């Protein structure tokens, strides 16, 4: 299972665009609301209902965890014990850790980026502890996928889809939405 964590203040496009692409590609994605409710409000005031509140998260081997950026959304993800546990178990099992915009700092703070090439929203590079900062817009290094921000949310989602279901599926979805 793939989990997309949403916390109040998340960047809506960075969460919903990859979610849509992954589901179009046949990936089962569960959205998880951080903060005690199953509704969260994005950084631009858009309310979103999640599939489940974090109190019900119980997966012991996620295939992937996705963290959208936005402020204070990324800080709220960072403060969540549930997000921390999900990252830990996913990394231990070789699953994908994916973060965009400000959210790569959550991975960097926990040491997941050490020795990895990574990117983030400008100004957060100092938080990517141990990473080699990339100039690319979206970077995949092993089981880590990071992206610079909202403007590359489609590329981010397609890279995750490629990692999970292969290049052919990602290309099929890219063409079906006229992204070429």
């Amino acid at each position: 299972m793939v989990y997309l964590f949403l916390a109040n203040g998340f960047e809506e496009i960075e969460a919903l665009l990859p979610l849509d692409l992954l589901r179009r590609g046949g990936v089962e994605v569960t959205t998880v609301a951080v903060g005690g409710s199953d509704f969260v409000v994005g950084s631009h005031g858009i309310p979103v209902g999640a599939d489940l509140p974090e109190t019900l998260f119980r997966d012991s081997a996620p295939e992937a965890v996705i963290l959208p950026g936005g402020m204070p959304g990324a800080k709220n993800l960072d403060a969540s014990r549930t997000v921390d546990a999900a990252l830990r178990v996913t990394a231990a099992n070789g699953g994908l850790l994916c973060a965009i915009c400000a959210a790569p700092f959550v991975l960097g703070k926990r040491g997941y980026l050490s020795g990895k090439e990574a990117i983030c929203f400008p100004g957060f590079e100092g938080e990517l502890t141990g990473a080699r900062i990339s100039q690319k817009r979206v970077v995949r290094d092993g089981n880590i996928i990071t992206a610079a921000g909202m403007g590359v949310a489609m590329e981010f989602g397609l890279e995750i889809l490629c990692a999970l279901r292969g290049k052919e599926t990602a290309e099929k979805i890219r063409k079906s939405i006229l992204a070429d």
Side-chain angles (χ1 to χ4, degrees):
M1 177 66 73
V2 174
Y3 294 93
L4 173 63
F5 284 88
L6 303 172
N8 284 322
F10 74 98
E11 174 56 57
E12 294 93 340
I13 299 302
E14 294 170 2
L16 300 178
L17 189 92
L19 173 63
D20 180 278
L21 293 171
L22 291 167
R23 287 187 175 171
R24 286 174 192 250
V27 177
E28 189 175 344
V29 182
T30 298
T31 56
V32 182
V34 171
S37 170
D38 56 357
F39 276 89
V40 290
V41 178
S43 60
H44 297 94
I46 300 171
V48 175
D51 297 316
L52 65 121
E54 70 179 321
T55 54
L56 297 180
F57 176 81
R58 299 280 185 268
D59 199 326
S60 61
E63 187 176 5
V65 167
I66 304 168
L67 305 178
M71 283 297 183
K75 286 183 180 179
N76 291 333
L77 292 172
D78 182 50
S80 168
R81 289 182 180 176
T82 304
V83 169
D84 189 56
L87 290 171
R88 195 170 38 252
V89 71
T90 304
N93 290 310
L96 287 175
L97 303 180
C98 310
I100 184 170
C101 193
F105 98 84
V106 177
L107 303 180
K109 184 175 176 180
R110 288 159 175 78
Y112 297 119
L113 301 180
S114 187
K116 302 279 188 176
E117 183 180 7
I119 190 63
C120 61
F121 191 79
F124 286 87
E125 296 87 353
E127 304 291 329
L128 306 187
T129 306
R132 295 184 318 275
I133 306 302
S134 180
Q135 298 305 307
K136 299 174 190 171
R137 295 161 44 107
V138 177
V139 178
R140 180 176 179 196
D141 189 343
N143 70 325
I144 305 287
I145 299 174
T146 54
M150 186 189 86
V152 298
M154 183 179 305
E155 294 171 53
F156 178 63
L158 289 168
E159 186 63 33
I160 297 168
L161 182 58
C162 182
L164 293 171
R165 296 297 183 264
K167 186 174 183 174
E168 186 176 301
T169 299
E171 285 303 311
K172 178 182 172 188
I173 298 303
R174 178 190 303 275
K175 288 180 182 181
S176 77
I177 62 169
L178 307 177
D180 289 335

